[in-house]
Amino acid sequence: MSNTTLISILIMSMLINNVVLSQFLGICPFLGVSKKVDTASGMGAAVIFVITLASIICGLIYHFILHPLGLDYLNTIVFILVIASLVQFVEMFLKKMMPSLYKALGVYLPLITTNCAVLGAVLLNVQNEYNVIQGIVNGIATSVGFAISIIILAGLREKMQYNRVPKAVQGFPFTMFTASLMAIAFCGFSGLK
Amino acid sequence: MNLAENTPLERLFNGIVKENPTLVIVLGMCPTLAVTTSAMNGIGMGLSTTVVLALANLFISLLRNVIPDDIRIPSFIVIIASFVTMVDMLMQAYTPDLYKSLGIYIPLIVVNCIIFGRAEAYAYKNKPLASFFDGIGMGLGFTLAITVMGFIRELIGSGAIFGNPIGSLPDYAPSIFVMAPGAFLVLAIMITIRAHIINTIEAKKGVRLPVTHTDEEGSECSSCAMRMSCAGKFQKVEAMMKADKEAKAAAAVKAAPAAKPAAAKPAAAKPAEMTVEEAVKEVKAAAKQAEAAASKTVEAAEPPKKAEDEAVKSEAPKEEAPKVEAPKVEAPKEEAPKEEAPKEEAPKVEAPKAEEVKAEAPEEPKAEEVKAEIPEAPKAEEAKAEIPEAPKADEAKDEADEAPAPMSALERLKAMKAADEAEKEANK
């Protein structure tokens, strides 16, 4: 495992295979919580926090418990339970120990439980046969990619809030068109491969 | 179609047409966008989701009296994840090609919002048979929608129907439609067309049809699929945070009177020499009464008017006109005897102004402005810091209006005299 592979994992997961715009994970918060830059960055920060923790813990569980015992088929169940309880635990821990951080992230934590980006990042770690360190780097890169794209979308939506839009396109389709243009822009990163 | 509630047929119709999860409720966007590169993928994904949905609904409904309310979400997760694992292994064994092309999205059925949504909204409250068919209906509705989308994307993007190329069409097909941007684009166009049809029908019939995605515009949860299971928790928490902020701001405003009498005392102390002490008491009393109004910038030029203004402010919210007039009449009377003639006139002139002010009630917008400003200030300390400044500004105004105004006249006279004398001396 050399540094180049870690850096290439970072670039791959963050920009080229952007979790939202090319893998379509975490679409729900991407469309739902992207009206204002403030809330979007809060959501992005919370996702970075949770995915990083989840990829550490799930990586350890997979490499030291599930895989050695040949329990690979339990991956999905174990991971989703770990993520759900992790989110609950993080919420309680932050509430008690770091109230200021809890205030900044607290609103978004319950929403993350079924954010498919979290489970997706962890499952991709297993599928790509990353070791623990590579998995953590992949998790961080994935979540940073999510934060980047949701903040860009929120910025665009704030700018276009008062644009005159045909009635049928208003709301959801308009956001989808915006996301489509963003995805085209992110296609440009595939030249980095 | 008139069908009895919660019968199998009604559930199927409901899932496929009336509450189609993808097109009507806009749920489960991740697989919808991700796997619809071909119609075959759409069918595979849709059918595997249908199996999980139907079985999970059935079992959750059977266990609905056993599962405690507090831990129902983890219970749902375990039940759903078990079925997803089964489907995952079966597909790996019997349809390896499809399994490969769907990849990570098969295990991700676990977090498909449709399944959670139906478990929470329907299966947990209804009988097993109806829940089972609800799952099948919803699953088939989902399958139909993503198959159509996969068909469109495959036809335009790779010039094929169900994997069979049409003549030389693949050579000219814009491949962007099977890439990531095409997914967003096709779904956006599909929903736009649907919205346009509904808008046209609405315009023709003059009625509003239920459940269009644009209806829910404006709420943060509108396009989030989790809104069914989180039940607006996000909005609740956000509202709580907002209320918390407002409470803090209110506390800051309440703290302001404590600071204000202190600031008001020096302001009132100087005029006290000229005006009645009772007026000062009134000012204080009014300041205490008008806790909410206390943060307003008082533009009173003179203490009597200040007293009036605050009286107006304190009672304006109550909307009791006669009471407001009473103090106004008193205030000039009290001050009149001790004050000099020109100053007597001033309050009289201003009294009607105060009435006008009352009639127009510009204080309320001001209060709103102040209130609007305070929540924006993130720290209560800043709000506190801002409020004490207002009385200071009043002091300055008071001083500027009261003391310097007559002084300046005298000074001008003196300056004139001095200038005259200087001229005389110069002439001499």
Side-chain angles (χ1 to χ4, degrees):
Chain A
M1 182 191 67
S2 65
N3 286 331
T4 31
T5 44
L6 286 186
I7 289 171
S8 74
I9 288 173
L10 195 74
I11 302 286
M12 280 288 282
S13 302
M14 201 160 71
L15 298 174
I16 301 169
N17 289 332
N18 185 286
V19 63
V20 180
L21 295 171
S22 86
Q23 307 213 44
F24 306 109
L25 301 177
I27 292 285
C28 311
F30 179 68
L31 299 174
V33 200
S34 60
K35 259 199 175 154
K36 290 178 206 138
V37 173
D38 300 358
T39 41
S41 39
M43 188 70 195
V47 167
I48 292 176
F49 195 70
V50 171
I51 291 191
T52 308
L53 272 180
S55 54
I56 294 171
I57 294 171
C58 291
L60 291 176
I61 289 176
Y62 177 75
H63 285 285
F64 294 103
I65 299 173
L66 293 178
H67 194 54
L69 296 177
L71 295 173
D72 288 22
Y73 61 89
L74 283 180
N75 277 353
T76 315
I77 298 179
V78 171
F79 290 165
I80 186 70
L81 280 180
V82 165
I83 290 165
S85 45
L86 179 76
V87 171
Q88 283 287 317
F89 177 74
V90 165
E91 198 182 348
M92 289 191 297
F93 177 81
L94 287 183
K95 203 173 188 176
K96 177 84 180 156
M97 305 302 288
M98 297 179 225
S100 55
L101 191 63
Y102 175 75
K103 260 190 187 156
L105 303 183
V107 189
Y108 310 100
L109 285 174
L111 288 177
I112 296 178
T113 318
T114 54
N115 182 346
C116 35
V118 183
L119 186 63
V122 176
L123 285 172
L124 277 174
N125 286 347
V126 174
Q127 205 180 51
N128 295 342
E129 293 170 359
Y130 290 149
N131 62 28
V132 179
I133 303 287
Q134 285 171 324
I136 293 167
V137 171
N138 183 43
I140 293 171
T142 306
S143 50
V144 171
F146 176 84
I148 289 174
S149 43
I150 196 174
I151 290 170
I152 292 177
L153 181 67
L156 290 172
R157 283 180 76 177
E158 265 188 8
K159 278 260 182 223
M160 299 185 298
Q161 201 174 4
Y162 299 110
N163 284 12
R164 291 182 60 196
V165 178
K167 202 189 167 199
V169 191
Q170 274 168 15
F172 187 80
F174 192 58
T175 316
M176 295 289 279
F177 281 120
T178 316
S180 172
L181 292 176
M182 280 174 67
I184 292 175
F186 269 72
C187 276
F189 286 117
S190 57
L192 286 172
K193 260 179 194 169
Chain B
M1 258 179 117
N2 287 321
L3 292 168
E5 276 281 303
N6 295 336
T7 55
L9 205 61
E10 186 266 343
R11 282 292 98 197
L12 287 179
F13 177 73
N14 181 60
I16 298 171
V17 182
K18 223 166 103 192
E19 287 183 20
N20 188 300
T22 309
L23 297 176
V24 181
I25 322 185
V26 199
L27 275 179
M29 281 299 106
C30 307
T32 306
L33 292 166
V35 303
T36 49
T37 49
S38 73
M40 216 41 224
N41 276 359
I43 290 179
M45 186 71 204
L47 288 182
S48 43
T49 308
T50 307
V51 171
V52 175
L53 195 50
L55 290 176
N57 263 8
L58 176 65
F59 272 72
I60 287 167
S61 179
L62 283 172
L63 294 171
R64 71 184 190 281
N65 296 322
V66 183
I67 299 171
D69 218 29
D70 294 335
I71 55 158
R72 65 182 195 285
I73 300 283
S75 316
F76 294 167
I77 291 177
V78 174
I79 292 169
I80 295 167
S82 315
F83 286 116
V84 169
T85 309
M86 286 178 206
V87 168
D88 183 79
M89 293 167 84
L90 284 172
M91 287 185 77
Q92 202 170 1
Y94 293 106
T95 55
D97 290 342
L98 190 61
Y99 182 79
K100 228 175 223 173
S101 67
L102 294 179
I104 194 181
Y105 297 99
I106 293 289
L108 280 178
I109 294 174
V110 177
V111 282
N112 190 322
C113 324
I114 299 173
I115 300 175
F116 259 105
R118 291 325 288 174
E120 175 88 4
Y122 195 84
Y124 195 56
K125 296 168 192 156
N126 288 283
K127 288 181 178 164
L129 188 69
S131 301
F132 181 73
F133 279 97
D134 179 73
I136 290 185
M138 281 285 160
L140 290 180
F142 176 66
T143 310
L144 190 75
I146 65 172
T147 308
V148 168
M149 198 175 147
F151 183 82
I152 295 171
R153 282 182 71 190
E154 191 184 7
L155 184 65
I156 303 175
S158 46
I161 293 177
F162 287 96
N164 305 314
I166 310 166
S168 60
L169 202 60
D171 298 340
Y172 305 103
S175 63
I176 195 161
F177 277 90
V178 289
M179 287 160 68
F184 289 111
L185 201 61
V186 171
L187 188 61
I189 292 170
M190 278 172 76
I191 294 180
T192 305
I193 291 170
R194 182 184 164 274
H196 181 71
I197 292 169
I198 284 181
N199 287 343
T200 323
I201 295 171
E202 277 176 357
K204 267 186 187 171
K205 288 187 179 174
V207 283
R208 279 188 74 71
L209 296 178
V211 200
T212 67
H213 64 275
T214 40
D215 281 352
E216 300 162 40
E217 245 279 298
S219 92
E220 283 283 358
C221 287
S222 63
S223 53
C224 175
M226 274 301 289
R227 70 180 182 276
M228 290 185 93
S229 50
C230 87
K233 196 175 179 183
F234 176 78
Q235 284 180 325
K236 264 186 215 164
V237 179
E238 223 184 24
M240 271 167 61
M241 280 173 76
K242 209 180 175 187
D244 191 42
K245 259 186 186 176
E246 274 171 7
K248 266 189 184 175
V253 171
K254 273 187 185 174
K260 212 203 164 183
K265 270 180 192 171
K270 284 176 189 173
E273 296 170 3
M274 297 181 286
T275 55
V276 200
E277 283 183 4
E278 289 175 2
V280 179
K281 280 180 189 172
E282 270 192 12
V283 171
K284 282 182 193 171
K288 278 176 191 171
Q289 278 179 2
E291 277 187 355
S295 64
K296 293 168 195 164
T297 52
V298 185
E299 293 175 1
E302 287 177 338
K305 203 212 165 191
K306 198 174 176 181
E308 284 168 14
D309 273 0
E310 294 207 355
V312 171
K313 279 173 194 168
S314 63
E315 287 172 20
K318 290 174 193 168
E319 294 179 8
E320 292 174 24
K323 279 187 183 178
V324 176
E325 285 174 351
K328 248 180 239 161
V329 180
E330 287 175 61
K333 275 181 190 171
E334 282 173 5
E335 287 139 18
K338 284 190 183 179
E339 278 174 357
E340 293 173 9
K343 280 192 180 176
E344 244 184 60
E345 289 174 3
K348 277 178 189 172
V349 176
E350 283 167 7
K353 274 182 192 171
E355 281 177 348
E356 284 173 10
V357 164
K358 185 202 76 186
E360 291 170 6
E363 282 94 352
E364 288 182 358
K366 270 180 205 166
E368 283 175 0
E369 281 173 15
V370 173
K371 276 179 190 171
E373 281 170 14
I374 291 167
E376 278 175 22
K379 288 173 190 172
E381 289 176 2
E382 285 184 13
K384 277 181 192 171
E386 283 175 9
I387 291 159
E389 283 177 9
K392 276 179 194 170
D394 290 352
E395 277 184 90
K397 271 184 190 170
D398 288 354
E399 284 174 6
D401 288 338
E402 288 162 14
M407 279 299 286
S408 64
L410 284 174
E411 277 174 359
R412 271 180 210 162
L413 283 174
K414 278 179 187 174
M416 291 270 280
K417 280 178 188 174
D420 286 355
E421 282 174 6
E423 275 180 9
K424 280 174 190 174
E425 280 178 7
N427 288 339
K428 280 175 186 176

